[in-house]
Amino acid sequence: DVELPGVTKDAVSITFENSYLNLQAERKVPELGDHKTLHNSFRYGLFKQRISVGENYDPDTIQASLVDGVLSVRLNKKPQVQPKKIEIL
């Protein structure tokens, strides 16, 4: 899970390439019009993270959700190939 408060799902990009999960999100500075902010503790700009997940995950089953500022990404492992018993005729 990644905390991304104030980021919409349209500002998030997730890709899976060569056993890496690539996350990218951007939080833009809000337009305040005539208002002036004295202090703001939010960080704005581009966020990138690259996570090595190995080759044991099926990219076709990756699911992501963004709820209440928390991005969750779920990966399913590939089924392991089991030895096949060959019957002798």
Side-chain angles (χ1 to χ4, degrees), residues 12 17-18 31 36 41 49 62 70 76 79-80 86-87 89:
V12 178
E17 183 179 9
N18 298 326
E31 294 183 23
K36 184 177 181 181
S41 61
Q49 188 169 11
I62 297 174
V70 177
N76 293 323
Q80 291 184 346
I86 308 297
E87 185 178 330
L89 302 175

Side-chain angles (χ1 to χ4, degrees), residues 55-57 77-86:
E55 297 178 5
N56 296 329
Y57 293 94
K77 288 188 174 183
K78 291 180 183 177
Q80 291 184 346
V81 177
Q82 300 295 325
K84 181 178 179 182
K85 184 174 181 177
I86 308 297

Side-chain angles (χ1 to χ4, degrees), residues 11 23 40 47 53-55 65 71 85 89:
L23 309 174
N40 188 345
F47 164 85
V53 295
E55 297 178 5
S65 63
L71 175 67
K85 184 174 181 177
L89 302 175

Side-chain angles (χ1 to χ4, degrees), residues 8-51:
T8 63
K9 72 177 185 177
D10 295 333
V12 178
S13 171
I14 304 169
T15 59
F16 184 79
E17 183 179 9
N18 298 326
S19 302
Y20 283 92
L21 188 66
N22 300 297
L23 309 174
Q24 181 173 321
E26 184 173 11
R27 182 183 300 132
K28 295 183 180 182
V29 178
E31 294 183 23
L32 300 175
D34 294 337
H35 293 74
K36 184 177 181 181
T37 301
L38 296 176
H39 175 74
N40 188 345
S41 61
F42 284 114
R43 292 185 180 178
Y44 296 98
L46 191 62
F47 164 85
K48 289 183 180 183
Q49 188 169 11
R50 187 171 189 194
I51 304 166

